[in-house]
Amino acid sequence: MTAIDYDLEFLEDGRTIELISIGMVRDDGREYYAVNRDMPVQRIRKHKWLMENVVPSLPKGHGDAKIHMPKRWLFHYADPVVKHRERIANEVMDFIRSAGPDVQLWANYGAYDHVALAQLWGRMIDLPEGVPMFTHDIQQERSRQGLGWDDLPQQESGEHNALADARHNQTVRLWLASRQEAA
Ligand SMILES: [Mg+2]
């Protein structure tokens, strides 16, 4: 079994879930991070929480590129992690499939993450072969072990950066697993 811990940042309005960024971490150390250049920037700009918590960690370019990034941009369009949604869908599919046939997806409070992930490829029925139809939830395992949220390892930095969150999810999942083994 190989596990992939992942996290999505998204704009969610009670009806739709729009991808902003995705981070994935595999047990073998491989990682994936992408920012959706097709994200609905106008709507995100009006979303105070996203502007304060998620947008600051989006790529702003380095060196000269940073200096020359127009102020109205939420992220730097020329950064290599910024990609069209369709390309992200293909790369995420490859990332999951190349983990092998026996892959588990894991996320934290992962219901919305799973839907937004699956919608990369369209409808439920369009889910590519080799992509699991469900995501294991760290919260379910926490609850099953009779633990509270405060009992889990806490994230030290980078909260709401999808890759940092995915790495932390991996830390927590492995911690829960080792605890289980010791019991
Ligand atoms: Mg997150």
Side-chain angles (χ1 to χ4, degrees), residues 49-82:
W49 189 89
L50 287 174
M51 289 301 287
E52 286 174 1
N53 294 284
V54 172
V55 170
S57 84
L58 297 178
K60 302 289 191 284
H62 303 283
D64 281 357
K66 187 169 187 156
I67 295 162
H68 295 124
M69 180 176 132
K71 284 227 166 1
R72 66 179 187 282
W73 287 8
L74 299 186
F75 54 90
H76 204 301
Y77 284 83
D79 193 284
V81 301
V82 176

Side-chain angles (χ1 to χ4, degrees), residues 7-11 18-22 54 160-162 165:
D7 184 63
L8 270 60
E9 301 303 329
F10 47 76
L11 168 69
E18 305 283 352
L19 177 70
I20 294 175
S21 59
I22 179 169
V54 172
H160 307 305
N161 171 285
D165 289 357

